[in-house]
Amino acid sequence: MKAPYKFSHAIVREPAATVVDGLRAVDRGNPDIGRFREEHAAYCAALVVAGVEVIRLPALADYPDSVFVEDPALVLPEAAILLRPGAESRAGEGEHLAGSLAGHRPLVRLAEGRIDGGDILVTGRELIVGLSARTDRTGVEALDRCIGQWGYAVRCVALPEGLLHLKTGCSLLASETVLATGGMIASGLFDGYETVAVPQGEEPAANAIRVNGHVLLAEGYPKTEGMLAELGYEVMTVPTGQAALLDGGLSCMSLRF
Ligand code: CIR
């Protein structure tokens, strides 16, 4: 199974003690900072095994959700784009990534609208962008104008009910192959792609990440793990219980490039 792209680096940010104040749709209790740090360390270790250099940024106490670095930025081969996160409390997070990103890519700031990185799936041929509570049409159009100069096409899609972000329910396994929940596949979002449905009851496993030769999968989804192994993917499982309390998963805890 050929990897869609070769990643050499991943930016992560240590969880802050204030992560207990992180946003969540449903309160199932606060994450435990000690366990969150352990899970984050396991996540970073898995990225290293997958062959990337992990750039660890320090915790930001003023931004409880800043461990979820995927949302305020998008890194493409041509540039790093500071997005405009849809949650008020997260609006300043991007500037804290600017210094690190500028060391690797020309930096571009999106001019208007709202858009979270969690709503952007970069495939081998286009960017699929979900309209959500965090991402609006103005933001998608601003992104489209920004990346059009490099030849990227944007496919703007409406999310099925109940998902925070597009990538809450899907991930890219290969450049033309998407892992997703049955509901997302049925709604036609990925027409034209090969799709692999996560088994019913294991929907959160759809937020996986393909990193070079490996697929990182949340721990606790044995049917999905078995299915992917059967399909020939090299699967590594990572604990995500603490991030899940804040509606976070594997994709949102790093910026890979
Ligand atoms: C938030 O609501 O913004 C955070 N608690 C979770 C962000 C998860 N990000 C992602 O799925 N890309």
Side-chain angles (χ1 to χ4, degrees):
M1 282 325 133
K2 197 175 164 338
Y5 11 68
K6 168 80 185 146
F7 293 128
S8 56
H9 293 81
I11 292 178
V12 303
R13 185 177 294 289
E14 300 295 332
T18 53
V19 76
V20 294
D21 299 322
L23 300 170
R24 64 207 81 173
V26 176
D27 195 2
R28 287 170 286 134
N30 283 337
D32 174 89
I33 182 60
R35 288 172 63 197
F36 208 130
R37 286 187 182 123
E38 282 170 20
E39 289 187 356
H40 196 257
Y43 178 74
C44 293
L47 289 171
V48 170
V49 171
V52 304
E53 180 185 329
V54 176
I55 302 161
R56 291 165 197 258
L57 302 181
L60 285 179
D62 288 346
Y63 294 95
D65 285 296
S66 55
V67 63
F68 303 118
V69 284
E70 174 181 71
D71 294 318
L74 173 70
V75 187
L76 296 172
E78 295 82 0
I81 302 163
L82 291 188
L83 302 171
R84 298 167 58 87
E88 195 64 36
S89 64
R90 306 197 60 188
E93 288 180 23
E95 285 307 322
H96 290 273
L97 291 168
S100 178
L101 290 171
H104 297 273
R105 296 282 190 280
L107 198 63
V108 177
R109 287 176 173 77
L110 210 66
E112 54 182 340
R114 295 284 159 215
I115 186 162
D116 274 16
D119 281 319
I120 306 171
L121 183 72
V122 181
T123 77
R125 62 172 126 125
E126 64 184 351
L127 275 66
I128 303 178
V129 187
L131 293 170
S132 70
R134 302 287 177 87
T135 293
D136 62 21
R137 213 168 269 283
T138 312
V140 179
E141 285 166 5
L143 180 68
D144 196 6
R145 281 194 299 278
C146 172
I147 63 177
Q149 59 182 310
W150 303 306
Y152 292 98
V154 165
R155 183 200 293 211
C156 183
V157 300
L159 289 197
E161 285 287 295
L163 291 178
L164 173 63
H165 287 122
L166 177 78
K167 284 187 288 189
T168 307
C170 68
S171 46
L172 197 71
L173 288 176
S175 57
E176 292 288 318
T177 310
V178 177
L179 174 72
T181 64
M184 280 187 105
I185 294 171
S187 65
L189 297 190
F190 308 113
D191 283 357
Y193 287 88
E194 229 174 85
T195 54
V196 176
V198 293
Q200 237 179 354
E202 294 202 352
E203 283 72 14
N207 181 257
I209 40 175
R210 176 75 193 258
V211 186
N212 302 333
H214 290 82
V215 174
L216 274 58
L217 184 72
E219 214 170 75
Y221 300 102
K223 291 184 195 156
T224 309
E225 187 181 348
M227 177 187 73
L228 292 176
E230 187 85 3
L231 289 170
Y233 293 98
E234 188 74 37
V235 180
M236 240 191 299
T237 61
V238 181
T240 58
Q242 301 305 300
L245 290 170
L246 301 179
D247 308 328
L250 292 172
S251 74
C252 45
M253 289 191 287
S254 62
L255 281 166
R256 304 158 297 280
F257 54 93

